[in-house]
Amino acid sequence: MIAFASPADLIALALFAVCVLVYSRYADHGRSPNMLNTRMRSVRRRWVRQMLSRDDRVTDTILTGHSANAISFFASATILIVAGLVGVLSKTSDLYDVASHVILVQPSSLELFQFKLLGLTGIFIFGFYRFTWSLLQASYYYGLMGAAPRANSMSEADLDRLVDQISTVLNNVFTNFNGGIRTYYYALAWLGWLFQPAVFALATILITTVLIMRQFSSKSALAIRNFTEIVDAGDDGKR
């Protein structure tokens, strides 16, 4: 790739890789108490604990079923996108001739243009993997939910251990779902590379900034943070 890519292309690609890897790692595994994903992991743990206290778990089944439907939709949409991109790859030369005459597209070699399309295809393939892995783990969660005993049949210590294990699987479902959604955002940034490296770099920075803001300062993040603080204070008052 170095042979047919300019320094600007390499810098933009390196920036993209750093932003994707660092943000994804932090979003999926970060423990900051002010981060939306951290708060949602706490909410799901509470959900599991409430679920174990109920005789009738139909409501929990419906809620997780809606989530599974959303995951299935994105998995289906993503594989269609991958199929379309594979079809485009078979006609790269024709598409390259068309793109070369677009005013905003910076001229590049055919090899680099092919690499850009391959990279875009790879992003959606990775997204498909995240969605299907999320869906598979959702089926694991259904099994755990169906097999889990009532909360009042266990000691407090055993209940906490069981809640930890079940909520871990449930959180993995949504962590991978969020990761799949994130591939769509960064695919938009990658599309900027089809125009020119500066657009690619700018789009990468902009999208990463938006994702970070959604984690820490969006209305939903603030509302969920307040929710967890309220319910945690209520739990402390009962002790």
Side-chain angles (χ1 to χ4, degrees):
M1 177 191 168
I2 296 178
F4 51 79
S6 68
D9 288 310
L10 296 177
I11 292 172
L13 180 60
L15 175 65
F16 177 84
V18 170
C19 287
V20 170
L21 293 175
V22 172
Y23 176 78
S24 297
R25 179 70 181 178
Y26 188 69
D28 292 345
H29 305 289
R31 297 295 178 183
S32 171
N34 294 324
M35 187 169 67
L36 175 60
N37 286 355
T38 302
R39 295 284 180 166
M40 284 305 302
R41 284 192 285 267
S42 175
V43 169
R44 294 187 197 106
R45 190 182 190 282
R46 175 177 291 276
W47 177 11
V48 170
R49 194 177 186 91
Q50 295 286 351
M51 180 268 293
L52 294 176
S53 301
R54 287 191 275 267
D55 287 323
D56 187 350
R57 298 172 183 172
V58 174
T59 301
D60 305 286
T61 304
I62 293 173
L63 291 174
T64 50
H66 281 308
S67 299
N69 289 337
I71 299 169
S72 298
F73 169 79
F74 276 100
S76 300
T78 305
I79 197 62
L80 290 176
I81 293 173
V82 170
L85 287 171
V86 170
V88 169
L89 286 171
S90 65
K91 298 182 179 180
T92 309
S93 298
D94 295 337
L95 185 60
Y96 175 75
D97 291 337
V98 173
S100 299
H101 293 87
V102 176
I103 296 175
L104 297 178
V105 174
Q106 179 176 302
S108 65
S109 65
L110 176 60
E111 291 82 1
L112 181 58
F113 186 75
Q114 290 173 330
F115 178 83
K116 293 175 182 178
L117 291 179
L118 282 171
L120 186 61
T121 305
I123 290 173
F124 281 109
I125 289 175
F126 181 70
F128 178 72
Y129 160 77
R130 295 297 296 266
F131 287 128
T132 52
W133 180 220
S134 173
L135 197 58
L136 183 59
Q137 290 186 98
S139 69
Y140 299 156
Y141 173 74
Y142 294 143
L144 295 178
M145 183 171 60
R150 283 286 309 278
N152 58 13
S153 67
M154 295 176 285
S155 66
E156 193 65 26
D158 287 341
L159 177 60
D160 283 339
R161 289 176 56 202
L162 192 63
V163 168
D164 285 340
Q165 304 313 309
I166 298 176
S167 61
T168 294
V169 176
L170 182 60
N171 280 321
N172 285 340
V173 171
F174 289 99
T175 295
N176 282 281
F177 179 54
N178 290 339
I181 294 293
R182 198 159 52 238
T183 61
Y184 277 75
Y185 286 104
Y186 280 113
L188 292 176
W190 189 278
L191 280 174
W193 199 12
L194 294 176
F195 294 93
Q196 51 183 299
V199 175
F200 182 26
L202 182 61
T204 299
I205 294 172
L206 179 61
I207 286 173
T208 303
T209 301
V210 169
L211 292 175
I212 292 172
M213 291 177 63
R214 287 182 177 180
Q215 283 291 327
F216 291 96
S217 59
S218 66
K219 291 183 178 180
S220 293
L222 296 175
I224 292 170
R225 188 186 311 167
N226 291 333
F227 170 87
T228 55
E229 290 174 353
I230 292 169
V231 294
D232 287 344
D235 289 342
D236 292 339
K238 295 177 182 178
R239 293 171 186 169

